[in-house]
Amino acid sequence: MIPTLILIGVLFGRWWRTALVGSALGWPIMLVVTGVTGVEPGLVGASGLAILNTGVGVLVHQSVRWAVREVRRSPTPRSGT
């Protein structure tokens, strides 16, 4: 499931604040609803890990976005003809 959070960060990296808040709230809720864990203090740690994993995906998204912008901004080389 952790790679899923990275994928969410990659897909929704443009809206990074929403992606981080959504994973911070959604992951612990999903753990409780599916019966993996109960409501306990460990959910805070799960929320923190969800933020870190989604953050990695957001960083990947933002890095690719920055690289594409740099390539588009660079002048095209002229041919010698």
Side-chain angles (χ1 to χ4, degrees):
M1 289 307 261
I2 298 304
T4 303
L5 293 174
I6 293 173
L7 181 62
I8 288 172
V10 169
L11 293 176
F12 297 107
R14 173 77 172 94
W15 304 281
W16 60 272
R17 290 181 187 101
T18 304
L20 292 175
V21 170
S23 67
L25 296 175
W27 183 252
I29 289 171
M30 188 185 75
L31 289 175
V32 171
V33 168
T34 59
V36 173
T37 185
V39 178
E40 55 188 41
L43 287 176
V44 174
S47 181
L49 288 175
I51 291 171
L52 287 175
N53 284 303
T54 306
V56 168
V58 167
L59 286 175
V60 169
H61 176 91
Q62 293 291 333
S63 298
V64 169
R65 190 171 170 221
W66 176 82
V68 168
R69 283 183 176 178
E70 287 299 313
V71 168
R72 287 182 180 172
R73 283 185 195 159
S74 65
T76 56
R78 295 182 179 220
S79 62
T81 59

